[in-house]
Amino acid sequence: MERTLVLVKPDGVQRGLIGEVIARFERRGLRLVAAKFMQVSKELAETHYAEHKGKVFYDGLITYIVSGPVMAMVWEGPKGIEAVRQTVGSTKPVEAAPGTIRHDFALEVGRNLIHASDKPETAEKEVALWFKKDELVEWKRAVDAWVFEK
Ligand code: IDP
Ligand code: MG
């Protein structure tokens, strides 16, 4: 079972797409572990996007992510990181596969609606950065055996 951080970025919140995003992950069978609606501080934004510091789009990216509230969530499932990235779609919405969130709701890379952790090491770091341990909920669903093989 893998956990991954998902953010509905400020454009997704402003456009009323929080429910749409949650519905897609629920429908896929992923299990929600944590969620909070919050205004991101500049400090958190800079820590979260530290790997992009120095790139041409960095300043715009920080401005974008602090421009309004985000919905931060942790989701889990078998190969959860990969599964979530697949449902989210490629970074550039015009390259994202039809049926993915970025394809279906976005056009521009700088307004691509969602963040999702890209690999296990990043996911672990990001979940710990955005959530305290006691905000992560361990629970079982009655339907788990029909979604998870083990
Ligand atoms: P990801 O969100 O799919 O993991 P990354 O390459 O990690 O993509 O980039 C982080 C975020 O930075 C993207 O989701 C997007 O919002 C923004 N970004 C990436 N490349 C560009 C760009 O070329 N122009 C503007 N924004 C960009
Ligand atoms: Mg990334």
Side-chain angles (χ1 to χ4, degrees), residues 49 51-52 85 115-116 118:
Y49 280 127
E51 65 164 312
H52 296 300
R85 292 276 295 187
H115 168 81
D118 61 358

Side-chain angles (χ1 to χ4, degrees), residues 19-28 87 99-101 104-105:
E20 173 74 36
V21 169
I22 290 176
R24 285 177 178 229
F25 293 136
E26 282 187 323
R27 194 167 68 192
R28 185 104 196 248
T87 292
T100 62
I101 296 167
D104 290 355
F105 297 100

Side-chain angles (χ1 to χ4, degrees), residues 18-122:
I18 295 173
E20 173 74 36
V21 169
I22 290 176
R24 285 177 178 229
F25 293 136
E26 282 187 323
R27 194 167 68 192
R28 185 104 196 248
L30 292 154
R31 191 166 62 193
L32 185 64
V33 175
K36 62 182 163 192
F37 184 61
M38 58 186 280
Q39 173 62 48
V40 181
S41 67
K42 187 139 188 288
E43 190 192 358
L44 175 58
E46 286 176 349
T47 307
H48 176 75
Y49 280 127
E51 65 164 312
H52 296 300
K53 198 169 165 70
K55 295 185 184 165
V56 285
F57 60 84
Y58 176 77
D59 289 346
L61 177 57
I62 298 300
T63 305
Y64 167 39
I65 209 72
V66 304
S67 64
V70 304
M71 185 70 175
M73 298 178 276
V74 177
W75 288 87
E76 70 183 353
K79 294 222 164 123
I81 297 163
E82 205 180 324
V84 165
R85 292 276 295 187
Q86 184 187 39
T87 292
V88 166
S90 302
T91 306
K92 294 183 180 162
V94 291
E95 291 174 6
T100 62
I101 296 167
R102 283 171 171 165
H103 169 277
D104 290 355
F105 297 100
L107 291 167
E108 298 224 76
V109 67
R111 296 289 182 272
N112 64 358
L113 296 173
I114 300 218
H115 168 81
S117 308
D118 61 358
K119 51 180 188 283
E121 309 83 78
T122 325

